[in-house]
Amino acid sequence: SFSIKKNSPIWKCFGCGESGNPVAFVQKHKRLSFPEAIEEIANDHGITIEKNMVNPEEEAKRLSQKEEANKVLQIANEAFTKALHNLPTDSEAYEYIHNRFTPEEIKAWQIGFAPDAYDYLKPKLIAQNLYDMSIELGLIKQAEGSSHSYDFYRNRVIIPIRNHRGRLVGFAGRSLDKDAKAKWYNPKESFIYKKDKTLFGLDMALASDNKLDILQPVEGYGDVIICHRYGLTNAVGSCGTSITKGQLE
């Protein structure tokens, strides 16, 4: 039910009635804006796009910051998933996570665990010279009125947050401490994470076989995962806030 005209850049889907050129296909398939689709195609083919009205030094700085932030998040994600893998099977954290999520879900959503320690993640990030960026992204917390710093996420189930393109932008953490002041920690607002513009699970919804054009907002991170378990793959979460105009856009 899908056709591409020979010697022509035009495609046609007879199932849904859509048609267009290659850029339109990437836009619809990956749910990207026109500029994002152009950038995606250029990156896939090793083409450098010259951007007008952009200061080269500022652009280089922006890309460097983005790359550094990605390194911080990748190191943290690997550390959290490793911590979960190393949990004793009779521990509270292991039982909590495995009673709620299947092994397949833990792998697909890359669910992890932050140990109850002030310096589990911090040394790993310092060793890679990523301390300042870790502070900016909220993974390391600076103590008020002191030079001391520590891991922000401790004794928490970790759920990675990704943007619509599947790129890590932060972590949500559910406390296992009954006396915790905050049950959930959400990612710190930063240049890569904006709470009012992020929908948890949107990347999974867009990548699913469910071609519904309607998204179904649900309340929590776990609710999104469970909805996907039962085939409701258009379910998304609002990252600890009410649905905003920015998220709808």
Side-chain angles (χ1 to χ4, degrees), residues 5-62:
K5 291 185 177 180
K6 188 176 182 180
N7 300 323
S8 171
I10 303 301
W11 56 271
K12 170 73 175 181
C13 177
F14 294 95
C16 66
E18 296 281 359
S19 63
N21 59 28
V23 177
F25 177 80
V26 174
Q27 280 185 266
K28 293 179 182 298
H29 182 62
K30 296 191 175 183
R31 303 291 180 92
L32 303 177
S33 65
F34 181 80
E36 289 174 333
I38 292 293
E39 184 178 354
E40 182 87 1
I41 294 171
N43 289 338
D44 288 345
H45 293 82
I47 300 172
T48 301
I49 299 177
E50 294 185 5
K51 299 180 180 180
N52 296 328
M53 306 302 291
V54 175
N55 184 301
E57 293 183 359
E58 292 181 357
E59 181 67 7
K61 181 180 179 181
R62 184 187 70 82

Side-chain angles (χ1 to χ4, degrees), residues 80 90 116 245:
F80 292 143
D90 60 349
D116 192 10
K245 181 180 179 181

Side-chain angles (χ1 to χ4, degrees), residues 6-245:
K6 188 176 182 180
N7 300 323
S8 171
I10 303 301
W11 56 271
K12 170 73 175 181
C13 177
F14 294 95
C16 66
E18 296 281 359
S19 63
N21 59 28
V23 177
F25 177 80
V26 174
Q27 280 185 266
K28 293 179 182 298
H29 182 62
K30 296 191 175 183
R31 303 291 180 92
L32 303 177
S33 65
F34 181 80
E36 289 174 333
I38 292 293
E39 184 178 354
E40 182 87 1
I41 294 171
N43 289 338
D44 288 345
H45 293 82
I47 300 172
T48 301
I49 299 177
E50 294 185 5
K51 299 180 180 180
N52 296 328
M53 306 302 291
V54 175
N55 184 301
E57 293 183 359
E58 292 181 357
E59 181 67 7
K61 181 180 179 181
R62 184 187 70 82
L63 292 175
S64 177
Q65 286 181 323
K66 192 174 181 180
E67 182 179 351
E68 188 174 351
N70 184 60
K71 287 182 181 179
V72 168
L73 296 172
Q74 290 296 339
I75 290 173
N77 196 42
E78 291 175 7
F80 292 143
T81 54
K82 182 178 180 180
L84 173 56
H85 179 75
N86 291 335
L87 280 174
T89 56
D90 60 349
S91 66
E92 179 186 4
Y94 184 95
E95 292 180 354
Y96 178 93
I97 294 170
H98 285 81
N99 284 341
R100 285 162 176 77
F101 307 113
T102 67
E104 293 77 16
E105 288 166 345
I106 292 172
K107 181 179 180 180
W109 297 84
Q110 296 189 329
I111 297 171
F113 177 68
D116 192 10
Y118 285 88
D119 59 354
Y120 171 71
L121 188 58
K122 178 181 171 181
K124 297 176 176 59
L125 295 168
I126 290 177
Q128 298 296 320
N129 197 29
L130 296 170
Y131 178 80
D132 290 340
M133 183 58 71
S134 302
I135 292 283
E136 184 169 350
L137 299 183
L139 293 176
I140 297 177
K141 181 80 171 179
Q142 188 79 44
E144 294 184 11
S146 171
S147 60
H148 177 66
S149 60
Y150 53 89
D151 286 13
F152 180 66
Y153 296 95
R154 303 184 309 279
N155 196 28
R156 290 179 179 268
V157 178
I158 299 296
I159 298 181
I161 309 296
R162 300 177 184 277
N163 64 17
H164 67 290
R165 302 179 75 172
R167 294 175 180 172
L168 269 174
V169 293
F171 302 95
R174 203 280 188 190
S175 179
L176 296 181
D177 185 353
K178 296 179 181 179
D179 298 323
K181 293 181 179 180
K183 183 178 179 180
W184 280 96
Y185 279 164
N186 292 304
K188 179 184 176 183
E189 289 278 318
S190 69
F191 65 94
I192 62 169
Y193 173 76
K194 305 295 181 185
K195 181 169 64 175
D196 62 352
K197 294 184 178 180
T198 304
L199 284 171
F200 173 70
L202 181 58
D203 60 312
M204 300 289 269
L206 297 179
S208 73
D209 293 331
N210 190 335
K211 300 305 180 183
L212 291 177
D213 290 329
I214 299 175
L215 296 176
Q216 177 60 58
V218 297
E219 185 175 358
Y221 302 106
D223 297 329
V224 173
I225 296 173
I226 291 172
C227 282
H228 281 246
R229 176 192 305 171
Y230 292 105
L232 302 175
T233 55
N234 61 333
V236 294
S238 59
C239 297
T241 184
S242 300
I243 293 293
T244 68
K245 181 180 179 181

